[in-house]
Amino acid sequence: MQILVINTGSSSVKFKMVTMPEKVTVVQGQIERIGGDGVMEYRFADGHKEQVCAPIPDYPTAFRMLLGVVDGLGEISAIGHRVAHGGSRLTKPTFITEDVIREIEENSQFAPLHNRANVMGIRACIDAFGEKVPQVAAFDTGFHATMPEHAYLYSIPYEYYEKYGIRRFGFHGLSHRYISRRCGELMEKKDLKIITCHLGNGCSVAAVRDGVSIDTSMGLTPNEGCMMGTRSGNIDPAVLHYIARQENCSYEDILDVCNQKSGLLGVSGISNDYRDLLDSDHERAALALEMQKYQLVKIIGSYMAAMDGVDAIVFSGGIGTHAVKLRQGICNSLGYVGVVLDADANNAAHSEMLISVPESKVAVYVIPTDEEMTIAMDTYDLFTA
């Protein structure tokens, strides 16, 4: 059975074609700069790579190009889509219908950039591949649907939850599920307390006990939690009111600042890219990196308390997989609970690797995430259930 996995962003599409149940990748790639002079890059299983540079004015054009890549590689049995926000009802992988699409659109109010792009990808796929190819939605919020009420509720009047569904949902669930499951496989145990750190331009941390998410740092929207590339993370709501009044701007303008102009970019004034700040000798670049590390240490420490201990900490995502100094800084700050890093392993780790010493009381891993494979597995499981 061949499954095409689609991860649609605000101006890009990542894709992977997988043979299941063998979990063999046939081709994978990405289409970027949709809406202008686009670039499509892809790689086959034998390592052969291709790049196409051409105008890609819209998503239908992008998916017609994608159809040209996968045509002739075998029949596509199903298409699996990553969808950011499923809300309270869409918590499990689901066959896509018009009702499901409408509900994804309704949840766009909580993740406007992500969900709207996801819907465009779904509709473009229907146009390109036809309605006879079944499509499945897998939700980033779904893994965190197991959080207990005391973890997902905000300490505001309960009626807002009853009337509007205001609660914490969490994100990056496909990644947290993959890396926590993989960590259990590597440790050859199931009953584990794992803290998973998905660190990239967007960052989130999750507390996973016995394979189940019990808490996570993102909330109703992806802006909650630690500071990120351009997102502020946690902030006193009075700050937003004060800035809006001082700057004579709307609340929507302030939310845009919190989502697009804050975080590493806002503090450093240089870049939202971790690598740029690491290479800079500007004192505010160093300050931004220190702030992010400090906030991550606080979140990890709080999840240790919430789970009454921890067996493993996992780093993943573009930053988590490559940022040697950040991992070192975080682990050094956790020495009081017996975390001991293997410096040589940490320096060498950019792929799956144990980076703590054998005597460390907490295992520390680097595990690159594979959200697309998780979606392929979810889609396959839905078909064979």
Side-chain angles (χ1 to χ4, degrees), residues 88-337:
S88 297
R89 283 182 12 90
L90 299 175
T91 60
K92 297 181 183 299
T94 305
F95 284 110
I96 294 174
T97 63
E98 280 299 321
D99 287 340
V100 170
I101 292 174
R102 278 193 292 271
E103 194 154 351
I104 294 170
E105 289 174 328
E106 289 174 6
N107 289 321
S108 293
Q109 60 185 314
F110 303 131
L113 292 178
H114 300 80
N115 271 35
R116 287 169 188 161
N118 299 152
V119 170
M120 284 191 287
I122 290 168
R123 294 207 179 278
C125 255
I126 293 172
D127 291 340
F129 294 90
E131 295 187 0
K132 291 185 179 180
V133 180
Q135 301 198 52
V136 170
F139 302 94
D140 245 345
T141 49
F143 182 57
H144 305 300
T146 53
M147 287 192 294
E149 192 175 39
H150 64 260
Y152 69 68
L153 283 178
Y154 288 107
S155 49
I156 56 177
Y158 193 81
E159 64 186 271
Y160 296 137
Y161 170 61
E162 295 177 306
K163 290 165 64 175
Y164 310 118
I166 302 298
R167 53 159 289 179
R168 300 177 65 248
F169 288 98
F171 296 86
H172 295 141
L174 295 165
S175 176
H176 288 296
R177 179 151 61 95
Y178 176 84
I179 59 180
S180 61
R181 180 183 295 173
R182 183 64 187 138
C183 181
E185 291 171 353
L186 292 172
M187 297 182 71
E188 299 181 343
K189 293 180 181 179
K190 291 185 178 180
D191 302 331
L192 290 169
K193 301 170 184 177
I194 304 173
I195 295 174
T196 50
C197 306
H198 178 102
L199 308 180
N201 193 49
C203 299
S204 66
V205 183
V208 183
R209 183 168 57 204
D210 301 338
V212 173
S213 174
I214 66 161
D215 206 346
T216 189
S217 57
M218 285 180 167
L220 176 72
T221 75
N223 194 52
E224 187 177 348
C226 70
M227 65 186 291
M228 307 173 214
T230 62
R231 296 175 186 146
S232 64
N234 292 343
I235 189 169
D236 184 341
V239 172
L240 308 183
H241 175 72
Y242 181 79
I243 294 175
R245 189 172 58 190
Q246 295 298 113
E247 296 286 327
N248 191 28
C249 59
S250 69
Y251 192 71
E252 287 73 21
D253 291 334
I254 293 302
L255 286 181
D256 183 65
V257 170
C258 289
N259 279 286
Q260 303 294 334
K261 302 174 183 177
S262 299
L264 296 177
L265 174 63
V267 173
S268 71
I270 298 171
S271 174
N272 67 310
D273 193 306
Y274 183 91
R275 295 165 295 187
D276 292 341
L277 303 188
L278 202 61
D279 292 338
S280 174
D281 57 2
H282 197 288
E283 61 180 15
R284 277 169 51 192
L287 173 62
L289 295 177
E290 182 64 23
M291 286 175 64
Q292 186 180 58
K293 184 205 78 173
Y294 176 68
Q295 292 177 20
L296 286 166
V297 168
K298 287 201 298 181
I299 293 170
I300 292 169
S302 70
Y303 288 169
M304 288 181 183
M307 293 193 293
D308 191 25
V310 63
D311 297 301
I313 299 170
V314 183
F315 292 98
S316 192
I319 293 176
T321 305
H322 296 96
V324 172
K325 288 187 177 180
L326 178 62
R327 296 193 301 253
Q328 179 182 347
I330 290 173
C331 290
N332 287 348
S333 297
L334 299 174
Y336 70 97
V337 294

Side-chain angles (χ1 to χ4, degrees), residues 363-380:
V364 183
Y365 284 90
V366 171
I367 301 178
T369 192
D370 194 339
E371 294 162 304
E372 287 78 19
M373 187 61 73
T374 301
I375 296 168
M377 293 165 61
D378 285 345
T379 302
Y380 177 78

Side-chain angles (χ1 to χ4, degrees), residues 3-17 27-34 39-42 59 62-63 66 70 79-82 117-118 121 125 129 172 175 198 200-201 317-318 369-373 375:
I3 295 172
L4 178 63
V5 177
I6 300 295
N7 184 346
T8 308
S10 57
S11 63
S12 66
V13 176
K14 294 180 182 178
F15 61 91
K16 178 181 284 191
M17 188 171 173
V27 64
Q28 61 182 331
Q30 56 190 13
I31 305 171
E32 297 183 310
R33 302 176 190 170
I34 297 172
V39 178
M40 178 170 68
E41 299 176 322
Y42 52 97
Y59 281 91
F63 279 91
L66 173 55
V70 300
I79 300 173
H81 292 266
R82 173 181 177 258
N118 299 152
C125 255
F129 294 90
H172 295 141
S175 176
H198 178 102
N201 193 49
T369 192
D370 194 339
E371 294 162 304
E372 287 78 19
M373 187 61 73
I375 296 168

